[in-house]
Amino acid sequence: MKTYILATHNRDKIREFTGKLNGLIRLKTLDDFPDLPEVIEDGATLKENAYKKAREIHRFTGLPAIADDTGLEVDALAGAPGVYSSRYAGESASYRDNVIKLLQDLNGLPPEQRTARFRTIIAFADDTEAWDVGASVDGVILTEQKGDGGFGYDPVFYYPPLKKTFSELDIHEKNKISHRGMAIDAFVRELKEKQAI
Ligand code: IMP
């Protein structure tokens, strides 16, 4: 099995990637390279950030690199927090801080005006090429948190087809239908097409 590096320290993302890629490729993460400099995510789009992380981490480690950049796009907020999803409530905001700010910003809006989507871009970079795949999933932002699985905005992201928030799904259920799960599926299809796995 070939070894790739997933350009993140985020345990929650690592768990979702591992759940899908186990048995197909061997995954290292930034935790295996504690001395690497931090990649600054200053791109204007998810795609720019994903390519930047994949290219820089490939350059630092020599390994084929995979990078995920994800955002929550809320229609009533003109697509915010989007590329700023991790620091919506400030530079060192926690998941909880961000969720609370989101609920405050949408306060008083009826369900039909609370539509949103998660979007994930996965970029790949090695010595010879760089490419990306992406996926998104539509949902509705609830007025309060529900469930205790998942991470980030999952407790307020209601997925109408299953009548549950992403926090009420176990990791396998979330991985089947989520933005990241579908982007990882597209990523695997691409690797298979290129006969890399
Ligand atoms: P990043 O910039 O790709 O690391 O992610 C931005 C932020 O989006 C994270 O800090 C989380 O708050 C949120 N996020 C990313 N993926 C998910 C997810 O699958 N569910 C809920 N929130 C997520």
Side-chain angles (χ1 to χ4, degrees):
M1 250 193 295
K2 199 165 160 184
T3 300
Y4 294 71
I5 181 160
L6 183 61
T8 189
H9 288 288
N10 183 319
R11 290 293 153 120
D12 300 303
K13 284 189 183 179
I14 294 170
R15 209 171 316 116
E16 293 187 0
F17 270 89
T18 309
K20 283 260 177 185
L21 296 175
N22 233 345
L24 291 172
I25 61 177
R26 196 175 294 118
L27 262 193
K28 287 188 180 286
T29 73
L30 296 186
D31 293 341
D32 296 305
F33 296 86
D35 298 330
L36 291 187
E38 194 193 342
V39 179
I40 308 296
E41 293 187 35
D42 54 1
T45 62
L46 299 176
K47 211 177 246 199
E48 277 180 40
N49 281 337
Y51 272 105
K52 184 173 184 195
K53 284 187 275 190
R55 286 199 167 105
E56 290 196 13
I57 296 304
H58 167 62
R59 192 153 46 81
F60 292 144
T61 63
L63 289 171
I66 306 167
D68 159 316
D69 209 47
T70 296
L72 175 70
E73 301 169 354
V74 179
D75 295 322
L77 303 174
V83 73
Y84 303 108
S85 293
S86 64
R87 36 201 159 120
Y88 189 42
E91 269 313 315
S92 51
S94 65
Y95 288 155
R96 193 183 142 72
D97 296 336
N98 287 331
V99 166
I100 287 171
K101 174 167 168 52
L102 179 65
L103 292 181
Q104 280 166 354
D105 289 352
L106 297 182
N107 191 24
L109 284 186
E112 64 274 15
Q113 289 178 38
R114 304 177 74 96
T115 51
R117 72 205 48 77
F118 278 123
R119 187 181 303 283
T120 289
I121 302 290
I122 297 176
F124 171 85
D126 70 3
D127 285 337
T128 56
E129 58 178 356
W131 47 268
D132 69 280
V133 292
S136 67
V137 62
D138 290 321
V140 177
I141 306 300
L142 295 185
T143 53
E144 55 185 36
Q145 308 190 42
K146 244 183 128 189
D148 39 39
F151 68 100
Y153 298 94
D154 282 348
V156 291
F157 189 85
Y158 179 80
Y159 181 62
L162 293 180
K163 298 188 168 60
K164 286 180 179 174
T165 67
F166 272 10
S167 278
E168 295 177 296
L169 304 179
D170 70 34
I171 186 167
H172 302 292
E173 291 171 319
K174 181 182 170 191
N175 256 346
K176 263 186 216 153
I177 47 91
S178 75
H179 48 305
R180 181 169 300 100
M182 290 191 294
I184 297 171
D185 288 342
F187 181 74
V188 168
R189 279 198 300 277
E190 200 67 33
L191 286 185
K192 284 186 174 156
E193 243 163 60
K194 293 174 185 294
Q195 299 184 330
I197 54 172

